[in-house]
């Protein structure tokens, strides 16, 4: 059978013979057979078979002539594509090609133990799935094809899809000669994911290029809806470096998508049909933890084999419950980013938020909106506008290229809109839900993807800036310069910075943004008096049979995303440091918080952790940290106690932590914030209880000078460079070092005042922790100070 070749006889370097997609499938079967990766059986037509088909029907010159007419402007793209497809669909397969396809199909069916196998028929162009061009969705695939005649018809339609308008346009823009690109067709055993689920995964984080994380999208039914962006899928993130460690489950994110529709096998003559998912399916995650980890392990193996980041499609058979890989191709966007250049967008001032969704990319764009209903409305689109649509597919590509930003109602990170916007280098926000209802054509908006996982559409034209940093120009220092981070969704934007870890991770940010419920309201849910809050908590925690697990799960995964960015360098997580008025603002919180005249110096920090008023809530914090370190494996996590007023309080807090599985020692370091004068005065004594100090310069300044840092009338007096404050800092650094304890500072002063950074270096501080946007400036200030110190 010279027209076809079995996938097990194909290798990675056979792109010219069977196209990028089929070559990759063959490589998976042959190169990774020892990794227990399952790939459906199948065969492929050769590229030579395509040319035999073209020449048998005398189509070369007619196709060439039609393309030349389009290129010269005598015909439109639509007219040209339709004419060529018509020629191909009316053509006939050579008799020996038809015979080879029938024989191969029978052999595949026999091997599967059926009379007529259900197969997937996929196009695989010889200029496809390349490291520099994905050709995402440019040619067609046909699912659940059964019977020899149906297979032959699907093959002709695949050949015709080489000349869809979008495929012609894509090749033209990317410089591929139309008459030198051939098409192979892959025919594979159909996996019954219509009864299970399917999706896409990347071996890196798609928006930032963070190479230690695998990202998986999943939805019910056939995978086409995930790829096309028809559904909002589940999303999982897995931390790759800890995958091989026995007993660990390093899943650092599980987000449930709405999954409102699914594509299944048809029952009225059509191979497939669209149906609504059941309410129970929408509430449930598609994959178990074990399945998520299995897929992530496969991603790691494939990435290592190909030696590049990968884009992989998978399917779960609902009958056998087995998971299969159906495609793998090189990732085409982050792999081309200059590794030594960090571009950072920063929004300075912005209007009212209008809508939000998943951020694709990390850029910002501002322009008028152009609401478009279909790809055929290109004449209504204004170049440079923000394209707003329900969803996109490959027919939209010519239109997408004219947009400065893209917004869609539906889709996840692996949808067509997401993939193409990344390739085009334009910001996109997908899965907004109601963008086409909320936004109006002509309205000027700012599309911001620079604030983390979630992108926001702001009213008006925001003021923003872009900064570019050449990473190799950042000097090395003896003093450690670390990062202050709080938002798990934005943390991976900074993974390329050569920081020495995370010196301050604020737990309360995760609680207020990802959890939003007072922990005591979860512990004592049945006793809640506020019925409105009780109803809201029931809705927010409906996935969890144990409401306290909602807090532990969300806190541990949120902190894990921060720990992942630092790993294996340390991350110091400060335990919750809300003031009582801030705690009361959490859902269900008013019942559990006292009203205070001055919460800034009230019931906060260490005093809460052993108090009957909050101890049960603190137990949940401890459970989350224990899971983070022991179940997920983030042993780089150290802890920090805020606002610890006395030695007696230090002792009580450490006892409470030990009772809940967080005993100091055996790899767990516990620090204390140095932000109260008593911490300085008794530094040598505090050092007996803690591994180190972190100077909180804001609180230390206000308590040393007796100034409320929020008082406008006194704002000119609030200055960390005050001699009294500097005396306190110099003293605690000296005393800590004499006691053998580590000491750092987390505050704004080194960022605002280079001379303050020099003062800290002169005092011999071990580390300085600053916000990411200040990192480069502080690093240079520290390097200059160290150089002067060395010069004498």
């Amino acid at each position: 059978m010279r027209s076809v070749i079995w996938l097990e006889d194909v290798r990675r370097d056979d792109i010219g013979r069977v196209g990028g997609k089929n070559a990759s499938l063959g490589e998976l079967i042959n190169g990774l057979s020892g990794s227990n990766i399952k790939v459906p059986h199948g065969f492929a037509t050769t590229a030579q078979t395509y040319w035999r088909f073209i020449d048998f029907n005398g189509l070369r010159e007619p196709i060439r002539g039609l393309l030349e007419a389009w290129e010269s402007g005598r015909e439109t793209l639509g007219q040209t594509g339709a004419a060529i497809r018509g020629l191909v669909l009316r053509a006939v397969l050579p008799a020996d090609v038809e015979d080879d396809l029938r024989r191969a199909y029978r052999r595949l069916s026999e091997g599967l133990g059926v009379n007529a196998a259900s197969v997937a028929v996929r196009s695989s162009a010889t200029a496809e799935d390349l490291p520099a061009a994905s050709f995402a969705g440019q040619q067609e695939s046909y699912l659940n094809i059964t019977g020899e005649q149906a297979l032959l018809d699907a093959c002709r339609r695949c050949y015709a899809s080489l000349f869809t308008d979008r495929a012609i346009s894509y090749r033209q823009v990317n410089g591929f000669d139309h008459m030198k690109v051939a098409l192979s067709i892959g025919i594979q055993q159909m996996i019954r994911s219509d009864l299970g689920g399917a999706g896409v995964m990347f071996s890196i984080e798609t928006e930032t290029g963070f190479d230690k994380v695998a990202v998986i999208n999943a939805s019910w039914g056939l995978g086409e809806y995930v790829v096309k962006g028809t559904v909002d899928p589940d999303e999982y993130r897995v931390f790759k470096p800890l995958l091989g460690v026995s007993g660990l489950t390093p899943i650092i994110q599980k987000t449930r998508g709405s999954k409102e529709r699914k594509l299944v096998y048809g029952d009225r003559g059509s191979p497939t049909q669209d149906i609504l998912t059941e309410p129970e399916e929408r509430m449930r995650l598609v994959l178990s933890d074990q399945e998520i980890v299995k897929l992530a392990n496969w991603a790691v193996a494939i990435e290592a084999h190909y030696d590049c980041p990968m884009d992989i499609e998978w399917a779960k058979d609902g009958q056998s419950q087995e998971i299969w890989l159906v495609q793998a191709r090189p990732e085409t966007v982050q792999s081309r980013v200059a590794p030594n250049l960090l571009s950072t967008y920063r929004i300075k001032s912005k209007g009212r938020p209008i809508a939000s969704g998943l951020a694709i990319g990390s850029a910002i764009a501002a322009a008028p909106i152009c609401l478009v209903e279909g790809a055929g409305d290109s004449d209504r689109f204004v170049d440079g506008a923000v394209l707003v649509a329900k969803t996109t597919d490959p027919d939209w590509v010519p239109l997408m290229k004219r947009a400065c930003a893209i917004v869609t109602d539906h889709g996840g990170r692996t949808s067509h809109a997401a993939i193409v916007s990344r390739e085009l280098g334009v910001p996109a926000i997908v899965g907004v839900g109601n963008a086409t209802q909320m936004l109006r054509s002509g309205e000027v908006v700012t599309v911001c993807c620079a604030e983390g996982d979630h992108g926001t559409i702001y009213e008006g034209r925001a003021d923003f800036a872009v900064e570019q940093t050449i990473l190799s120009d950042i000097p090395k220092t003896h003093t450690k310069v670390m990062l202050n981070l709080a938002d798990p969704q934005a943390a991976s934007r900074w993974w390329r910075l050569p920081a020495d870890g995370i010196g301050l991770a604020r737990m309360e940010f995760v609680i207020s943004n990802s959890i939003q419920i007072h922990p005591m309201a979860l512990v004592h849910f049945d006793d809640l008096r506020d019925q409105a809050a009780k109803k809201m908590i029931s809705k927010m925690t409906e996935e969890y049979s144990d409401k306290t697990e909602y807090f532990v799960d969300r806190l541990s995964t949120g902190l894990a995303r921060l720990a992942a960015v630092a790993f294996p360098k340390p991350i110091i997580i400060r335990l919750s440091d809300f003031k009582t008025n801030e705690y009361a603002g959490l859902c269900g919180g008013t019942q559990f918080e006292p009203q205070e005249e001055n919460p800034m110096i009230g019931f906060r920090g260490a005093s809460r952790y052993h108090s009957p008023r909050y101890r049960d809530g603190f137990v949940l914090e401890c459970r989350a940290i224990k899971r983070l370190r022991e179940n997920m494996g983030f042993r780089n996590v150290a802890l920090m106690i805020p606002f610890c007023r006395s030695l007696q309080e230090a002792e009580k807090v450490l006892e409470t932590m030990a009772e809940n599985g967080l005993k100091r020692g055996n790899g767990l370091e516990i620090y204390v914030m140095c932000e109260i004068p008593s911490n300085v005065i008794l530094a040598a004594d505090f050092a007996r209880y803690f591994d180190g100090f972190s100077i909180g310069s804001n609180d230390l300044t206000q308590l040393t000078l007796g100034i409320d840092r929020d008082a406008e009338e006194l704002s000119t007096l609030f200055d960390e460079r005050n001699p009294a404050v500097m005396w306190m800092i110099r003293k605690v650094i000296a005393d800590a070092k004499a006691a053998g304890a580590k000491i750092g500072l987390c505050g704004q002063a080194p960022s605002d005042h280079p001379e303050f950074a020099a003062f800290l270096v002169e005092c011999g501080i071990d580390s300085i922790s600053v916000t990411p946007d200040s990192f480069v400036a502080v690093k240079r200030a520290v390097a200059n100070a160290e150089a002067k110190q060395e010069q004498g």
Side-chain angles (χ1 to χ4, degrees), residues 69-80:
W70 166 61
E71 290 170 352
S72 65
R74 299 196 307 273
E75 297 286 346
T76 67
L77 175 60
Q79 291 170 329
T80 300

Side-chain angles (χ1 to χ4, degrees), residues 100-307:
D100 285 351
L101 283 166
R102 290 181 185 276
R103 289 168 59 201
Y105 177 71
R106 290 170 196 158
R107 179 172 151 190
L108 177 63
S109 298
E110 289 169 6
L112 296 173
V114 295
N115 291 326
S118 171
V119 294
V121 182
R122 294 188 170 97
S123 304
S124 177
T126 53
E128 179 179 64
D129 293 348
L130 307 176
S134 73
F135 281 75
Q138 298 304 313
Q139 285 79 230
E140 298 291 353
S141 294
Y142 300 96
L143 306 178
N144 190 25
I145 301 300
T146 306
E148 293 177 16
Q149 190 57 50
L151 171 62
L152 298 177
D153 291 341
C155 287
R156 268 192 299 272
R157 283 183 285 160
C158 280
Y159 282 157
S161 76
L162 191 59
F163 295 98
T164 58
D165 296 356
R166 61 186 182 248
I168 295 171
S169 174
Y170 192 94
R171 286 194 297 271
Q172 190 80 358
V173 169
N174 286 277
F176 290 92
D177 186 334
H178 301 286
M179 300 309 296
K180 291 185 179 178
V181 175
L183 192 83
S184 166
I185 302 169
I187 296 96
Q188 283 180 285
Q189 165 197 356
M190 189 77 192
I191 303 303
R192 291 303 306 265
S193 58
D194 64 307
L195 302 175
V200 179
M201 66 176 168
F202 285 85
S203 65
I204 59 171
E205 193 174 80
T206 49
E207 310 320 316
T208 65
F210 185 34
D211 58 1
K212 292 179 182 176
V213 167
V215 181
I216 304 169
N217 277 189
S219 196
W220 301 114
L222 302 173
E224 187 173 347
Y225 276 7
V226 177
V227 175
K228 285 188 173 180
T230 308
V231 295
D232 302 324
D234 294 342
E235 182 165 284
Y236 319 114
R237 276 179 168 79
V238 184
F239 188 62
K240 297 189 296 185
L242 295 174
L243 273 172
V245 183
S246 176
L248 298 184
T249 306
I251 301 172
I252 63 175
Q253 180 198 347
K254 288 190 292 185
T255 302
R256 176 168 56 90
S258 59
K259 308 183 295 289
E260 294 175 352
R261 319 188 70 82
K262 64 179 177 180
L263 189 66
V264 299
Y265 281 13
D267 58 4
R268 292 185 180 90
S270 173
T272 59
Q273 65 176 334
D274 167 83
I275 63 172
L276 295 174
T277 50
E278 297 294 331
E280 181 270 337
E281 290 178 304
R282 299 177 193 182
M283 288 298 302
R284 197 156 46 92
L285 294 172
V286 174
L287 296 175
S288 67
D289 285 1
Q290 185 178 2
E291 290 167 335
I292 294 168
V293 169
K294 172 186 274 191
L295 277 172
N297 273 310
W298 287 1
V300 169
I302 294 168
E303 182 181 60
H305 181 76
Y306 279 81
D307 195 28

Side-chain angles (χ1 to χ4, degrees), residues 350-355 438 443 456-460:
K350 57 198 177 189
R352 177 181 64 89
I354 305 173
M438 295 283 293
E443 180 182 6
T456 304
I457 300 148
Y458 293 105
E459 195 174 63

Side-chain angles (χ1 to χ4, degrees), residues 9 26 74 196 237 359 383 483 602 620 677 746 783:
D9 296 325
R74 299 196 307 273
R237 276 179 168 79
D383 287 355
L483 297 177
L620 301 188
C746 52

